[in-house]
Amino acid sequence: MEVKDSNGNILEDGDNVHVIKDLKVKGMSKTLKRGNVIKNISLTSSPQEVECRVGKSHIVLKTQFLKRA
């Protein structure tokens, strides 16, 4: 199963990604701003989602809002 970012690049476990759009995350008081770097992502069973850690929280993000760093 290939997981691709918004530009069509293939993502792998441990990659770093940039957020390409301001995202409001449910359950968090802060917003993920465009350009934030998220390090060490983990792939999930869905090809449209990745799991990552932001602060002390584990969240799942859609790959359409990410690009490979």
Side-chain angles (χ1 to χ4, degrees):
M1 172 176 67
E2 290 185 344
V3 178
K4 295 184 179 183
D5 66 358
S6 61
N7 294 334
N9 297 323
I10 296 174
L11 297 175
E12 298 176 0
D13 278 334
D15 280 347
N16 299 334
V17 293
H18 289 283
V19 179
I20 62 169
K21 179 181 177 184
D22 290 351
L23 299 174
K24 293 181 183 178
V25 181
K26 289 183 181 178
M28 291 181 69
S29 60
K30 68 177 189 173
T31 302
L32 289 177
K33 297 289 185 180
R34 184 178 62 127
N36 280 357
V37 176
I38 298 174
K39 297 180 180 178
N40 200 13
I41 63 168
S42 299
L43 302 181
T44 61
S45 59
S46 172
Q48 287 94 17
E49 297 176 343
V50 295
E51 185 177 345
C52 58
R53 186 175 178 140
V54 176
K56 295 181 181 179
S57 304
H58 286 279
I59 60 173
V60 176
L61 296 173
K62 295 210 176 246
T63 57
Q64 66 187 14
F65 302 117
L66 303 174
K67 74 174 181 177
R68 191 169 183 193

